[in-house]
Amino acid sequence: MSVGVFVYSRSQALTRALLGNLLDDAQIKGLANADDLVGTVRILRGTTYGPWLEGPEFETLPGAERALDTSTVDAYERIRDSLTGPSRALIVGLARRVELLNLLAVLRALVRGRNTDEVANLWVDLGDMATLPREALLRATDVFEVARLVERTPYGPALHHALDRYRQERSLFPLEMSLQLDYYGRLWDLAERLMAQDRSSALRLLGLWYDLVNIEWVIRFRLLYQLSPEELFNYTLPHGRLIDSQTLRHMATASSLAEIVEVLPALYQHLLTSVTRGTDELWRVGVALGRGLRRAARSELLGYPFRISLQVAYVWLKEIEVRDLKTILEAKQYQKPAEEIEPLLFTLGG
């Protein structure tokens, strides 16, 4: 018996069972065609999400979204508990992206002068994987207090590093980017600590994800924020699968979406071909890249099962599904028809 089979046999069985709980395309389309928000929730109750949606409080948008987020955390916890050592640490690292989003939401509210009560309603509780002091952060009155509160957490050094620039500019951007660059760097380090076969498969998947993140960032920073090539290059991830530093520099000097796509590797050009034809709506870039990530995760399910890439692929598919379900719920809150919803979904068209 190989080491991989011995280490992953229990986790593989659990992951395959959880994959069977994901919704199929027909179910997603059925939800997009529901009459309204309450109707969508009631259809969801007939799926594997039913146990999370019991009770009238979940027939509201905040309640339903909170239930879906809870199901995501539960999935992470179950996968984590089926693993040990570096593999377990990588899954926890992936889950903590949710915690990073919690922290970014607090910072955005404070910088924009909004009430953190709004953040409390959106906060996703990571249970025993959490490292942030939730209640104290929700009572914080400024960015510097937040920095003190997270000083001894994984986010402390990165936030402290960005404070000088924040003092000068009073801009959210350096805070967000410092935290995100640090998070992705620490996650890559966790993958580097895996056993050889695991390390190769995990870095291949993470590398593709990081490529997609870099593509979206460069497009946004270059075309919307109009950052200089020199500054933009500092706000990209140093790791990836197909995009190297030379490609990033070519992307950073481009002046249009079409020029950026032109210098990408063929795999990513294919993802974005439809985006560069007849539209300059940059939201379509995010959808195209999200569909590409989903396609990569689904392809991983066909490979050798006894390695960590199966678990990584599953949690990505779970997060993508929940993201799409929340998109549908938000659209149904405003009575949007299916033909306006489906182009926004990662799970359809990819």
Side-chain angles (χ1 to χ4, degrees):
M1 180 182 292
S2 72
V3 173
V5 173
F6 178 77
V7 170
Y8 286 112
S9 56
R10 183 170 74 94
S11 185
Q12 193 264 3
L14 170 67
T15 306
R16 289 292 178 187
L18 292 174
L19 282 164
N21 290 338
L22 296 176
L23 306 184
D24 59 32
D25 288 358
Q27 289 174 300
I28 296 292
K29 288 184 177 181
L31 291 162
N33 278 283
D35 292 332
D36 53 25
L37 174 65
V38 173
T40 307
V41 173
R42 290 176 178 173
I43 293 173
L44 270 175
R45 284 190 180 132
T47 71
T48 52
Y49 287 95
W52 307 106
L53 293 163
E54 294 177 358
E57 68 272 24
F58 298 114
E59 293 184 356
T60 65
L61 183 59
E65 290 187 328
R66 188 164 54 251
L68 293 174
D69 288 332
T70 302
S71 79
T72 300
V73 175
D74 177 74
Y76 269 112
E77 289 175 338
R78 295 179 69 181
I79 294 293
R80 176 203 62 182
D81 291 345
S82 72
L83 298 167
T84 60
S87 300
R88 178 186 176 100
L90 180 64
I91 294 299
V92 172
L94 285 165
R96 284 186 177 152
R97 181 172 170 273
V98 173
E99 186 171 61
L100 170 64
L101 296 177
N102 287 337
L103 178 56
L104 291 174
V106 170
L107 291 169
R108 288 179 188 128
L110 292 172
V111 171
R112 294 169 181 170
R114 295 178 182 171
N115 195 320
T116 53
D117 288 346
E118 298 176 18
V119 179
N121 295 328
L122 301 173
W123 188 284
V124 180
D125 184 4
L126 266 188
D128 61 4
M129 292 184 287
T131 66
L132 291 175
R134 177 184 185 275
E135 298 306 320
L137 285 172
L138 293 175
R139 292 193 301 269
T141 57
D142 60 42
V143 167
F144 302 103
E145 184 177 356
V146 170
R148 289 192 295 273
L149 290 169
V150 304
E151 188 174 14
R152 298 182 183 277
T153 74
Y155 313 97
L159 187 54
H160 179 78
H161 177 74
L163 285 181
D164 283 344
R165 185 166 172 190
Y166 173 74
R167 284 190 185 94
Q168 296 169 7
E169 302 176 10
R170 296 289 161 167
S171 168
L172 182 65
F173 184 72
L175 304 177
E176 288 184 316
M177 292 310 302
S178 183
L179 286 166
Q180 291 187 87
L181 290 168
D182 172 72
Y183 167 78
Y184 286 113
R186 288 187 287 108
L187 188 64
W188 190 270
D189 289 343
L190 289 173
E192 291 272 19
R193 296 171 194 164
L194 294 165
M195 295 184 297
Q197 183 171 290
D198 269 348
R199 183 167 59 251
S200 175
S201 64
L203 291 178
R204 185 182 70 253
L205 271 181
L206 287 185
L208 183 140
W209 182 28
Y210 286 21
D211 282 351
L212 299 181
V213 170
N214 271 334
I215 291 170
E216 187 165 18
W217 282 358
V218 169
I219 289 172
R220 182 166 18 121
F221 300 161
R222 186 69 178 138
L223 303 184
L224 293 184
Y225 300 172
Q226 298 184 331
L227 296 188
S228 68
E230 295 76 16
E231 187 175 17
L232 190 156
F233 191 76
N234 291 329
Y235 291 123
T236 54
L237 301 175
H239 303 293
R241 179 173 169 185
L242 300 177
I243 295 180
D244 56 18
S245 59
Q246 183 177 8
T247 303
L248 282 172
R249 291 188 186 280
H250 287 316
M251 293 166 65
T253 58
S255 58
S256 69
L257 178 57
E259 287 183 16
I260 292 174
V261 173
E262 185 178 351
V263 301
L264 293 176
L267 174 64
Y268 306 136
Q269 285 187 6
H270 177 72
L271 283 179
L272 295 172
T273 297
S274 62
V275 177
T276 61
R277 291 180 180 172
T279 180
D280 58 357
E281 297 172 290
L282 295 184
W283 64 266
R284 296 184 186 275
V285 171
V287 174
L289 297 177
R291 289 175 174 177
L293 184 64
R294 179 176 183 262
R295 190 179 302 129
R298 287 169 62 87
S299 296
E300 197 64 31
L301 305 182
L302 305 176
Y304 181 69
F306 297 104
R307 56 189 178 193
I308 191 61
S309 54
L310 176 69
Q311 286 75 16
V312 172
Y314 164 70
V315 295
W316 282 357
L317 290 171
K318 173 66 175 179
E319 284 209 40
I320 286 170
E321 178 170 282
V322 166
R323 177 262 179 204
D324 277 5
L325 293 178
K326 291 165 74 172
T327 298
I328 292 170
L329 289 168
E330 290 164 10
K332 289 304 174 183
Q333 176 90 328
Y334 298 100
Q335 306 289 319
K336 298 291 185 181
E339 57 266 25
E340 292 184 25
I341 299 172
E342 291 186 10
L344 305 174
L345 305 180
F346 294 0
T347 46
L348 300 180

